[in-house]
Amino acid sequence: AITAMALFVGIRLGASAGLLGGIWDAIIMRTVDLLLAFPILFLLIACIAMFGSEINVLVLILVMTSWMDLARIVRAEVLSLKQRDFIKSAIALGFSKRRILFVHLLPNLFPPIIAIAVLRIADIILLESSISFLGLGVQPPGISWGTIIRDGRDVLATAWWITAFPGLAITTTTISFHWIGGGIRKAVG
């Protein structure tokens, strides 16, 4: 859900910046640059400190800190596609920007977007596990791999499996998503 919402925001702003250009491009991309200047984990911790760590707030914070690089990638793809002949022809024929976006640009953006979305899922899992391990994410009675690892660190010498298996699950899941994303990227690239 977090990845889907981040994709919605990132695609919308990135496509708008790339297609409209000019002042809109400058405003959107300078905002993205400003937000990307902060490390994501520190930005997450600051937002959680300000707004709390309820699950709904946590989802919103993860969405609002995950769309920036998606917007940059989508903008770059739109700028690349705008230089191709089929887009230049659509512009020359007088099609509206809305039609160019939905009929010509978005279908050509789906392959890289799908690859990015799969990789983004792995990143979100790592971020959520990290902040839950620090005690700022999902709070008991909620369950998170990061929370389980944090709870098991006190008994690591006698019950190592409490931290080992959730850590293995995080590692296996994120590596799997990265392999799937890499495979999709190779297949569509």
Side-chain angles (χ1 to χ4, degrees):
I2 292 167
T3 301
M5 289 186 275
L7 280 171
F8 178 76
V9 174
I11 291 170
R12 208 173 162 104
L13 291 174
S16 298
L19 187 62
L20 298 175
I23 189 73
W24 293 110
D25 183 30
I27 291 171
I28 293 170
M29 287 301 109
R30 294 312 69 81
T31 303
V32 169
D33 290 342
L34 177 69
L35 293 172
L36 284 174
F38 298 102
I40 295 296
L41 191 57
F42 294 133
L43 194 58
L44 278 171
I45 292 170
C47 290
I48 290 170
M50 288 190 304
F51 302 114
S53 63
E54 298 166 9
I55 192 71
N56 295 335
V57 174
L58 186 62
V59 167
L60 186 62
I61 291 170
L62 284 168
V63 168
M64 296 315 294
T65 57
S66 299
W67 64 269
M68 288 97 58
D69 55 345
L70 298 169
R72 289 185 69 93
I73 293 168
V74 168
R75 176 187 173 264
E77 286 291 323
V78 167
L79 290 176
S80 172
L81 288 170
K82 277 177 59 175
Q83 302 304 316
R84 297 206 180 153
D85 289 338
F86 69 96
I87 298 295
K88 289 181 179 180
S89 298
I91 293 169
L93 289 171
F95 293 155
S96 68
K97 289 190 184 238
R98 183 180 178 100
R99 178 181 168 139
I100 292 170
L101 176 66
F102 287 109
V103 175
H104 301 288
L105 287 176
L106 284 181
N108 289 298
L109 288 174
F110 279 128
I113 288 172
I114 291 170
I116 294 165
V118 173
L119 294 173
R120 174 61 49 201
I121 292 170
D123 294 341
I124 294 295
I125 290 170
L126 286 173
L127 280 172
E128 189 280 324
S129 298
S130 300
I131 58 175
S132 292
F133 176 78
L134 295 172
L136 301 172
V138 176
Q139 300 296 317
I143 298 172
S144 169
W145 283 330
T147 306
I148 295 170
I149 292 172
R150 183 188 72 225
D151 292 343
R153 74 175 179 213
D154 295 333
V155 291
L156 192 57
T158 57
W160 56 269
W161 55 87
I162 295 174
T163 58
F165 290 122
L168 185 62
I170 292 169
T171 304
T172 305
T173 304
T174 55
I175 288 173
S176 298
F177 277 115
H178 276 277
W179 281 346
I180 291 168
I184 291 172
R185 187 180 296 171
K186 284 180 185 175
V188 299

